[in-house]
Amino acid sequence: MWQSSAHSRRARRRRDGGMTAYGGGGLGLVRELAEALARCGSLQERGSRALCLRLMAKELGAPPPVREHDVAHYFLLELAWACLENPRTMRALHEALTALNEDVAELRRLTDDLLADPALPVGEMMTLRPLLDGFALPNLPDLCRRAAGGLRQVPPYDDAWSAFEGLSRLNARPDGLPTTMAFVEYVAAEAPYERGIALRAWNDAQAHGLSLLTELRSLRQQVAYAHSPEPGNAYLVVRLLRREEPGRYRLTSWRHYDPDEPTSWRPAQEASVEVTLAEAEREVERLVFEADEDWARDADRIHVEFALGQEDLNLPVHRFRIEIDSPEPASLGVGYCVVVRSLTRCRTPRWHRAWKQRWTSLSRTPELARPLVMGGPGHDDPRCDDLPSLDARLRGDRSIGCLLLSGPPEPATDSAREALIALRCGLPALLWDSRDVTTPRGVVQADDRIYGMLHDLPGLREAVTQLRTEAHGGSLNGRDNHPGHHLVLLFDDPTRPIESHQPLAGPDQGVGGR
């Protein structure tokens, strides 16, 4: 809860020149906590003090940075200082005193009050300000609640920096992380690629200084692979199914948005229509406009996903236009997060076990996820002419989450065979340049950031969207050479199916058909 009762103590500490709770602790805080600890009988005798330190070491996994003193008061001052330096030490002390049959209720109330001050040094907070100041997120209240670990109501904030300042006056979370660090982690997951990298780097530095790397790593895993936790994510899935007549497709769409149960997946199927590719562009425009109108008040972002057969994976759907009849049409891939999905894998049940197992493994340890680049410069990157080696590598290593293909997966090409191997081995993400380039280096010759994007699997969709936006924001002459203009991302989550096993062509299943 908000610590409004602590205002007078905080004001006194500021007058005394006290520093923030986990950032060094002022003498006023140390004296106040030491006086409270003096009321614990087991901390008065040298023998029981030594036992308390051993119990704390058991909880921490290492001896606490506290020396024994002949004078109890000196010992208590050093113990108080250590606890104010690190929330894990404070938590270990509570556990040790409880084991010694001390009543720690009053001590807990006091330390809750003491630790209601900002958890990080002012200088460190100021280095963060440029990354948060003016950064407004539609789901900011929800991020604050999740960062605070059970906080139900928060005051309105204009941007992420004002929210950070407000949360800095809250207690540390049960896992020991300052609420502000948890908030930065949640914001990093929502931020564009470069900003997200900078926010995580800032958090890493604070966690290292506070001995909270394990706690931060655990939270980062939860944040990275929380399945659609934010109520602002809406999905429009478009299936393009080839018909017998050349150049014609059966277009079917699904929509999903459930703000009341954001972790659920219940896509509603719409009616199907027969289209050419040119007509498909206009039909997608209509579907996007309807989704925008229906979700205008609630949805933060709309993901547009195209379910395509193996022979159509390279269709330039991310370059479909919207506002087609206006003087200045816009690109679908700039305003929306556009990816493709594999109909072939969706309809090949024997591949699903590897797909789900790899997704589960990557979800548990996202920090270990790594990419491969076909023909890339790394010593681990597979050669383009050695597909059996690629197959063996992918089957034996579930930490590989993304593959950069050597070229577009057009039928009867080596790149198509690379994609087929990756799909049947369960990789959730494939990336390629839709142009006919001879080496994967051609994909990144204008922008090496793509290599960095490959290592951030949870943020890959947003990073590709940002790169596409940059491509359209550049000069007309350089736009066609910008990698973002040609980049295609296949991103396939096995927990979000749209259909069960059906033939790749055949009669329409009807609205609601599975």
Side-chain angles (χ1 to χ4, degrees), residues 373-381 440-441 451:
V373 178
M374 292 302 302
H379 68 277
D380 285 337
D381 290 324
R441 184 65 192 169
Y451 279 120

Side-chain angles (χ1 to χ4, degrees), residues 219-378:
L219 177 64
R220 185 166 294 169
Q221 292 179 22
Q222 298 172 35
V223 172
Y225 270 93
H227 180 57
S228 301
E230 58 274 13
N233 268 355
Y235 293 86
L236 170 64
V237 184
V238 178
R239 183 184 67 188
L240 284 173
L241 190 62
R242 282 199 179 193
R243 310 304 287 165
E244 290 79 4
E245 183 181 349
R248 297 196 65 82
Y249 292 83
R250 170 61 58 91
L251 186 152
T252 308
S253 63
W254 288 260
R255 288 171 46 164
H256 170 80
Y257 178 59
D258 190 348
D260 296 325
E261 295 186 50
T263 60
S264 67
W265 176 251
R266 291 190 294 271
Q269 184 174 337
E270 308 290 317
S272 298
V273 294
E274 298 272 348
V275 294
T276 63
L277 276 181
E279 293 166 342
E281 185 179 44
R282 285 194 173 273
E283 180 65 12
V284 169
E285 177 192 53
R286 182 187 69 80
L287 294 169
V288 168
F289 286 173
E290 287 183 356
D292 260 327
E293 292 170 1
D294 290 347
W295 298 330
R297 291 186 302 173
D298 304 309
D300 172 20
R301 64 184 68 167
I302 297 178
H303 298 255
V304 183
E305 303 181 339
F306 288 86
L308 305 173
Q310 198 72 6
E311 68 277 18
D312 289 318
L313 287 179
N314 201 42
L315 286 178
V317 290
H318 66 284
R319 296 207 297 268
F320 273 11
R321 299 167 298 162
I322 55 176
E323 306 287 356
I324 297 173
D325 295 325
S326 73
E328 295 294 334
S331 172
L332 179 67
V334 172
Y336 303 86
C337 191
V338 179
V339 302
V340 300
R341 301 178 63 175
S342 171
L343 266 179
T344 303
R345 178 160 59 185
C346 176
R347 295 174 166 189
T348 310
R350 65 179 181 275
W351 295 353
H352 289 188
R353 181 173 62 87
W355 184 19
K356 293 176 181 177
Q357 287 177 344
R358 187 176 298 267
W359 182 268
T360 299
S361 178
L362 293 169
S363 301
R364 289 173 178 167
T365 56
E367 75 281 1
L368 299 180
R370 59 193 185 90
L372 287 181
V373 178
M374 292 302 302

Side-chain angles (χ1 to χ4, degrees), residues 131-137 140 158-161 187 190-192 195 199:
L131 295 171
L132 298 181
D133 204 3
F135 186 38
L137 299 100
L140 188 58
D158 294 330
D159 61 8
W161 175 249
V187 172
E190 299 282 318
R195 191 192 299 255
L199 288 170

